[in-house]
Amino acid sequence: MRGALLADRPVHVRDFGAVGNGTTDDTAAIQAAIDAVAAQGGGVVLLGPRRYLVAAADLVVKNGVFLRGRTASGGWRVNGDFTTVNHALLLDAARTIRVHRNGGLEGLAVLRRGMTVPGNLRQGLDAAAAMAGTAITVGDGSGGSGAANGADATLACLLVLGFDWGIYSDGNARLRVRDVLGDCRNGLYLGRAFDVSRISEVNWHPLVTTGRSWSNSRIAISSVADNGSGQVRVTLASAHSLQTGELVNIAEVRNSGASALHGRWTVTVIDATRIDLQNSLYAPGWTSGGACYIQPNRRLGTAFAVAAADMSSFQNCFEYGHDIGWDIQNDVHACNFANIGTDAWVDAADPTTIGIRIGGTARRNKVIGGFLSSKGVSVQCTTTGAEQNELIGVDVTGGARRIAEVLSGALSFVGCDFTGGPGTGNQVLASIHLGDAAGNLIVTGCDTSPVTFTADSPAAMQRLLLAANRSGTGSTNRLAAGRVEIASVGADAAIATRLSADTDGGVNIHRRASGSGALLRLNNGGDAMAASLSLAGSDLTLSSEAGAMVFESRAGGTAVERFRISASGTATLAGPLLLPGSPTASLQAATKQYVDGQFTERRLATLLLAAATTVTYAAHNARMLIANAGASLSLSWANTGDGFSCVVVNRSGTDLALSLTGFTSNTAPTNVDGFTRIRAGGIASLMIYSPDGGTTKICHLSGAGAP
């Protein structure tokens, strides 16, 4: 009768001998219940409100079988005490729960065997370090189509604590994961996941070590010194509970000479209050301030890792405290990540952590909504292709290093809000950086008011595309690292912005409603610029602006104005105007007649000579040469050529002879009066030409010649 009545009802593990006292190994009993249901073609195996130890072997949830407890186990417990959580599997770290195709887990707590209740900072650090093993493995990792494959598996309403990996799925299609809370060094791995996997409401949070005043500890720095070996020794204001080889973060040091202390360090413990920072280099400069941050809530892993997936969907998922929140790897394409979040302890200012890392051949993925906060860098792109990945409507907060960095590949921000500032110590930094290998970075419709854009090179900065962004009144969009600076202010506001002295080039664009000064400055050297183009305002009042365009170059360390177009249109050129030698050549700027007719003043440049001088077209053509005592002139057809002319004033005190090379007659210039020299105190013209197109080469002397 019992068999007839219960044949179509769920099987309970107690019917197969499971004890559930937390110390008796129930592996065989639970596996027997699963095997029995699998033999009937699938069904449900129930766990009661007990704690079942699984230590002897992996627990295999076979094809079509669901292992089920209650509706959900919840998450956080007072003081991190999970010792009374029931409907629980206490899983040895050497074992895993393996879920096959069409099978699943629902309403269970999966807790690593041996977990304790940390009662102080030291025990919290130990609890984080003890995480080991993989709680749940979907399929056999083969990616095949056999019964051991995990295709169409479902994991729902789970609490997973204390493992190195919480959920690991490789080679399984159409995986369904929902309503999972957990605390593991690494959260969920989804690899080779095709045909639309669905992940929702998964939260990886430091449940084991959070909820106490010691969960994350800040200890003030009392002193900084050389440890005697050139490394930094930090003395803290109170005991630290650390052990050699553990990690700390140093932040809030505002002395410029000690800013290199900021960051994550591995420590060598000297005593209860002193630690050495391994691989540091001591430099004087610390005077006061700063803090050491110790984090039991730190998880040295990845919350969500995705590889080789198409059209997978992640919705309403969150992580806290992992080194990498989301790692989107090779061959992830056309996936979407909606309303996701990352967070960490912002005060610790850890520059090594990453919110979302998009790398390898990942392409055409969308992150929509949610927020990315409190990491070293919120978004990092290191893809290898030219195709875009996009962040749409995301609140992206600056980190201890940057808001975002595009080191390679292409990325778009659309309708995002950027927050952060230029702060010091543990304040977040609002910069977006392009590496030399970066593709296009498109920023459109975003709030870019706090952002500084930087790049490894001018070529990298040229790949930044900004369109229709909100900069706000009184705000600055600053493309730094010597590249571009854009400032925007409201009516009648004053601006005094320019590139800093350590930049190596850039563009300043100032919008000004009144006052005076540069409207636009384009330069390639910052304060040490080599050249610039300015739109200089001379009378800037509302509806009555006037200004000039000025070209400058640098000479002897000083910026010198070379060309100015005034507000009235008058053009002033400082220096000679050089035109192509042949008026019939293509692109000839102007004919001689045009120049004579249009220029009201044209001065003949003079050169003072007092030594032997080789005359060249570039240095001496169309110039007045003043030959003082000691001067001599050497002319060659090769250096001067057809069409060369100059005026020579002989002030040497004696007749000035000319040395000629390469002319038809090299003994003397051509002159109808037979003059071959320039008379002392006289002025003569030298004209070099060929009357037959190059065969005959003549140097003609006219004026104050001498025989």
Side-chain angles (χ1 to χ4, degrees):
M1 180 181 292
R2 178 180 178 86
L5 291 174
L6 301 181
D8 58 349
R9 295 187 180 182
V11 168
H12 202 289
V13 294
R14 67 179 173 227
D15 296 332
F16 292 81
V19 177
N21 60 9
T23 57
T24 300
D25 192 339
D26 288 322
T27 306
I30 298 173
Q31 190 64 61
I34 293 171
D35 293 347
V37 171
Q40 297 176 359
V44 176
V45 174
L46 297 178
L47 288 179
R50 297 174 179 268
R51 295 164 66 87
Y52 300 90
L53 176 62
V54 176
D58 291 351
L59 195 62
V60 180
V61 181
K62 294 184 176 180
N63 190 347
V65 177
F66 265 71
L67 188 59
R68 180 176 294 164
R70 59 182 177 181
T71 302
S73 296
W76 182 81
R77 296 295 193 279
V78 175
N79 294 330
D81 185 356
F82 294 90
T83 58
T84 60
V85 174
N86 54 31
H87 293 90
L89 298 174
L90 306 185
L91 183 64
D92 191 273
R95 307 302 177 192
T96 189
I97 303 172
R98 194 172 296 277
V99 181
H100 288 176
R101 64 187 308 119
N102 303 311
L105 304 174
E106 185 176 6
L108 306 177
V110 183
L111 313 176
R112 195 191 79 254
R113 181 188 188 186
M115 282 179 52
T116 59
V117 182
N120 55 43
L121 176 60
R122 178 65 258 162
Q123 292 171 3
L125 292 170
D126 291 339
M131 293 182 175
T134 299
I136 301 167
T137 302
V138 180
D140 59 0
S142 68
S145 58
N149 178 258
D152 301 300
T154 299
L155 309 175
C157 303
L158 304 177
L159 176 64
V160 185
L161 302 177
F163 298 89
D164 182 52
W165 276 101
I167 300 171
Y168 198 95
S169 174
D170 181 27
N172 306 298
R174 299 176 299 280
L175 178 66
R176 300 291 186 266
V177 181
R178 61 177 175 82
D179 295 309
V180 174
L181 291 171
D183 182 8
C184 299
R185 183 176 295 113
N186 297 278
L188 181 147
Y189 177 85
L190 183 68
R192 294 189 294 163
F194 309 112
D195 300 339
V196 194
S197 292
R198 290 285 181 263
I199 316 296
S200 64
E201 287 76 40
V202 176
N203 187 317
W204 301 110
H205 195 84
L207 300 171
V208 173
T209 55
T210 197
R212 290 177 173 271
S213 61
W214 51 261
S215 294
N216 284 320
S217 294
R218 176 191 180 277
I219 305 177
I221 294 175
S222 297
S223 67
V224 175
D226 191 324
N227 71 347
S229 299
Q231 294 185 343
V232 176
R233 176 163 293 174
V234 177
T235 300
L236 303 178
S238 60
H240 51 65
S241 301
L242 292 164
Q243 295 177 356
T244 293
E246 292 184 322
L247 299 176
V248 301
N249 282 86
I250 303 295
E252 303 176 20
V253 178
R254 288 176 170 80
N255 309 115
S256 60
S259 59
L261 287 175
H262 290 160
R264 176 191 289 191
W265 298 96
T266 302
V267 304
T268 298
V269 172
I270 305 303
D271 54 35
T273 59
R274 294 184 301 164
I275 54 175
D276 288 351
L277 307 183
Q278 296 180 15
N279 299 316
S280 63
L281 182 63
Y282 175 77
W286 183 88
T287 57
S288 63
C292 174
Y293 287 86
I294 306 172
Q295 304 183 61
N297 289 345
R298 188 201 311 266
R299 300 294 179 257
L300 299 176
T302 301
F304 298 88
V306 189
D310 61 1
M311 294 184 62
S312 293
S313 172
F314 291 78
Q315 295 181 338
N316 306 322
C317 295
F318 179 79
E319 71 81 31
Y320 179 99
H322 293 80
D323 269 9
I324 300 177
W326 296 79
D327 195 7
I328 303 172
Q329 304 173 11
N330 278 329
D331 293 330
V332 177
H333 66 99
C335 294
N336 72 80
F337 305 82
N339 195 38
I340 64 171
T342 68
D343 202 0
W345 193 16
V346 66
D347 292 342
D350 192 337
T352 63
T353 57
I354 300 173
I356 293 182
R357 181 171 67 185
I358 308 173
T361 56
R363 59 201 182 278
R364 300 190 298 272
N365 298 291
K366 306 290 187 291
V367 180
I368 305 170
F371 71 85
L372 308 172
S373 176
S374 307
K375 300 292 187 179
V377 59
S378 293
V379 182
Q380 184 185 81
C381 181
T382 59
T383 55
T384 57
E387 296 181 86
Q388 291 279 339
N389 293 279
E390 295 180 323
L391 281 80
I392 305 168
V394 181
D395 183 355
V396 188
T397 300
R401 190 162 82 239
R402 297 184 172 106
I403 286 180
E405 51 192 21
V406 182
L407 304 181
S408 61
L411 190 67
S412 293
F413 291 99
V414 180
C416 294
D417 294 306
F418 300 122
T419 57
T424 59
N426 64 333
Q427 296 180 355
V428 294
L429 302 177
S431 65
I432 296 178
H433 184 77
L434 291 91
D436 273 333
N440 288 336
L441 170 59
I442 300 173
V443 182
T444 181
C446 297
D447 180 5
T448 57
S449 55
V451 177
T452 297
F453 293 92
T454 65
D456 286 341
S457 65
M461 184 57 77
Q462 290 175 1
R463 302 182 195 115
L464 174 64
L465 305 175
L466 300 173
N469 294 299
R470 304 183 300 279
S471 58
T473 299
S475 66
T476 299
N477 289 350
R478 192 182 301 264
L479 282 72
R483 308 299 177 244
V484 180
E485 178 179 301
I486 303 174
S488 175
V489 300
D492 297 319
I495 291 183
T497 58
R498 62 175 301 150
L499 295 178
S500 60
D502 61 350
T503 60
D504 58 359
V507 177
N508 300 343
I509 302 176
H510 297 170
R511 174 184 175 273
R512 194 186 294 270
S514 65
S516 63
L519 282 172
L520 168 69
R521 180 177 293 274
L522 308 175
N523 71 71
N524 68 346
D527 284 348
M529 65 185 178
S532 72
L533 163 65
S534 301
L535 298 181
S538 57
D539 179 17
L540 301 179
T541 58
L542 291 176
S543 302
S544 181
E545 294 85 358
M549 177 173 285
V550 180
F551 293 83
E552 297 176 328
S553 63
R554 198 166 184 83
T558 303
V560 180
E561 180 178 311
R562 302 301 188 187
F563 181 59
R564 172 182 289 264
I565 302 175
S566 70
S568 64
T570 299
T572 304
L573 177 66
L577 176 66
L578 298 181
L579 301 175
S582 173
T584 62
S586 61
L587 302 180
Q588 170 69 20
T591 64
K592 180 178 182 302
Q593 290 81 1
Y594 175 85
V595 174
D596 288 342
Q598 296 298 321
F599 279 76
T600 59
E601 180 181 1
R602 184 172 59 165
R603 298 179 182 179
L604 188 64
T606 61
L607 296 176
L608 303 181
L609 309 179
T613 301
T614 299
V615 177
T616 67
Y617 187 94
H620 304 101
N621 183 59
R623 288 167 172 78
M624 181 182 295
L625 311 184
I626 311 298
N628 294 300
S632 63
L633 300 180
S634 299
L635 294 85
S636 71
W637 180 269
N639 288 335
T640 53
D642 195 15
F644 174 89
S645 66
C646 68
V647 175
V648 180
V649 180
N650 183 10
R651 296 179 57 82
S652 66
T654 62
D655 292 348
L656 181 65
L658 305 173
S659 174
L660 273 61
T661 304
F663 293 92
T664 300
S665 174
N666 290 330
T667 57
T670 297
N671 184 276
V672 295
D673 298 319
F675 296 152
T676 61
R677 294 174 295 170
I678 301 173
R679 186 176 64 242
I683 301 175
S685 296
L686 298 179
M687 293 175 286
I688 295 174
Y689 61 92
S690 173
D692 51 14
T695 302
T696 304
K697 303 171 183 177
I698 296 174
C699 176
H700 193 109
L701 182 152
S702 63

